[in-house]
Amino acid sequence: MDAPHPGFVADSLDRRIISALQIDGRASWHRIATALGEPERTVVRRGTRLLDSGLVRIGAMVVRGRSTVIGVRCAPGQARVVATALARRPDCVFAHVLTGTWDCVAEVQCPRDRLAGLVTDELPGLPGVVRTLTLPVLRHARTIREWHAGLLTETEIAALAEGTPASTPAASADLMPAHDGTELTRSDRLLVNTLAEDGRCTYDELARVSGVSEATARRRLGALRRQGRVRVRAVIEPVLLGLPVEAVLWVRAVPAGVERVAAALAESPHVRYVSFVTGERQLLALTAFPDEAALHDFVTRSPWLDQAASVDVSMVLGSLKRGGMLAPWLTASHA
């Protein structure tokens, strides 16, 4: 189903550079080197190699509405077809094929006034769909763009985040209402489409493609990021960080303990994403571990389990989309 995992596993410095790019995908090599206390020449060489290899990709994603998690049970042999259809939606953030009750899970960004159409018309109309589970996200406790596997110190994180458009609390797209109203201008759409392909392209390139001055391109991108309408993120396979075992956790907590469980999950370097959702299980988490033993320990011995009523574990069999970017092998097959 999936392309083979890359044999390359980053060493400690590569992993720290990757973590820096996860904080700010457009950070200059100079800023990354300064924050990490490493020679700039070394950071440039290693960072460029990671990007050129395609192991780390930087892209931009337009925020299209409120997040909704979708679980799908598929007809036999149709999981890949359904997951691919979900992944190819422009409003899809991630799409994974799973073990367990639900054959695939995806997050889409759907304005709430269009949710009824998604649930009653669009999802049931996908070939191979037997049953769907729709879980509107009430709040994100951690998103993929906030995850960096615990490889950086608080001081390093602060140095990388300082001055970036997304570094202020008011700018966080995950803490403020999504922009469901006004459409982007033509020049903004051209700018964002270019960033979707290469999130580190220069302001001069953005200006030429979008037909504005370099100063305007810089100002517009800064404004879109501050408003939470565009997110620039590093997209990686967790195996690159030595975390090949991925799982989705469906967690039901005792009502009084939901916040505590969410906070504990969000603090773990193995939890890449956790959200409060509607339904029987209040929390959904995407996780990554070095091996299955570590996953087992996490779901049987963690202190937060005292507040959990149940934890269902689904292993990730394949990922077709991460961070709004299709898997490279899927893009190649569509070309």
Side-chain angles (χ1 to χ4, degrees):
M1 129 97 51
D2 225 341
H5 283 313
F8 174 83
V9 177
D11 65 16
S12 60
L13 178 54
D14 282 342
R15 296 179 186 186
R16 282 163 52 76
I17 293 171
I18 292 169
S19 294
L21 290 170
Q22 288 178 296
I23 293 173
D24 183 3
R26 290 186 60 81
S28 68
W29 297 127
H30 174 75
R31 183 149 65 92
I32 292 174
T34 301
L36 300 185
E38 299 287 346
E40 184 172 348
R41 180 178 299 181
T42 301
V43 170
V44 171
R45 183 180 74 253
R46 290 184 175 234
T48 300
R49 174 172 59 86
L50 288 166
L51 294 177
D52 289 346
S53 69
L55 296 172
V56 179
R57 297 180 294 156
I58 311 296
M61 185 177 68
V62 177
V63 178
R64 301 174 184 272
R66 305 294 300 184
S67 293
T68 298
V69 172
I70 298 165
V72 182
R73 185 179 298 165
C74 307
Q78 295 299 299
R80 178 175 180 172
V81 173
V82 174
T84 299
L86 289 170
R88 292 202 186 283
R89 292 177 60 104
D91 57 2
C92 177
V93 180
F94 63 75
H96 305 307
V97 177
L98 308 176
T99 64
T101 302
W102 303 102
D103 298 305
C104 30
V105 65
E107 182 186 80
V108 300
Q109 292 180 339
C110 176
R112 289 296 187 249
D113 59 358
R114 300 180 188 172
L115 186 59
L118 176 71
V119 173
T120 60
D121 301 321
E122 296 177 41
L123 295 179
L126 292 177
V129 170
V130 173
R131 182 183 173 191
T132 62
L133 173 72
T134 307
L135 306 173
V137 173
L138 302 178
R139 181 165 65 86
H140 291 302
R142 166 178 277 181
T143 62
I144 299 297
R145 71 186 182 89
E146 297 166 325
W147 175 75
H148 41 80
L151 300 174
L152 303 180
T153 67
E154 292 299 324
T155 300
E156 291 167 339
I157 294 170
L160 288 161
E162 185 178 359
T164 62
S167 65
T168 59
S172 172
D174 304 306
L175 299 178
M176 64 191 301
H179 294 267
D180 299 338
T182 60
E183 295 291 331
L184 296 177
T185 65
R186 179 177 181 277
S187 61
D188 284 348
R189 288 198 304 271
L190 291 170
L191 183 151
V192 171
N193 289 341
T194 303
L195 282 172
E197 298 298 324
D198 178 10
R200 290 183 67 84
C201 63
T202 66
Y203 286 107
D204 177 64
E205 293 170 322
L206 291 175
R208 283 190 284 105
V209 170
S210 56
V212 297
S213 69
E214 183 175 340
T216 299
R218 185 185 299 269
R219 177 174 54 80
R220 287 304 305 147
L221 178 56
L224 290 171
R225 294 180 73 185
R226 282 192 299 273
Q227 294 165 7
R229 301 193 68 179
V230 172
R231 303 171 185 171
V232 181
R233 59 182 67 196
V235 176
I236 66 165
E237 296 292 325
V239 67
L240 188 61
L241 300 179
L243 302 169
V245 177
E246 295 184 70
V248 177
L249 308 185
W250 315 78
V251 181
R252 182 161 65 91
V254 296
V258 175
E259 288 285 352
R260 290 195 293 276
V261 173
L265 288 170
E267 289 175 359
S268 170
H270 295 296
V271 176
R272 304 170 57 241
Y273 168 104
V274 59
S275 289
F276 295 85
V277 295
T278 61
E280 294 181 7
R281 295 167 180 82
Q282 309 102 321
L283 299 170
L284 180 136
L286 305 184
T287 64
F289 296 87
D291 51 42
E292 292 182 6
L295 169 60
H296 179 264
D297 285 347
F298 188 75
V299 298
T300 58
R301 301 180 181 178
S302 296
W304 55 266
L305 290 166
D306 290 342
Q307 299 294 319
S310 68
V311 180
D312 290 346
V313 181
S314 300
M315 302 288 287
V316 174
L317 298 175
S319 297
L320 289 86
K321 197 171 196 178
R322 297 184 189 271
M325 300 183 76
L326 286 169
W329 61 269
L330 189 58
T331 303
S333 67
H334 187 62

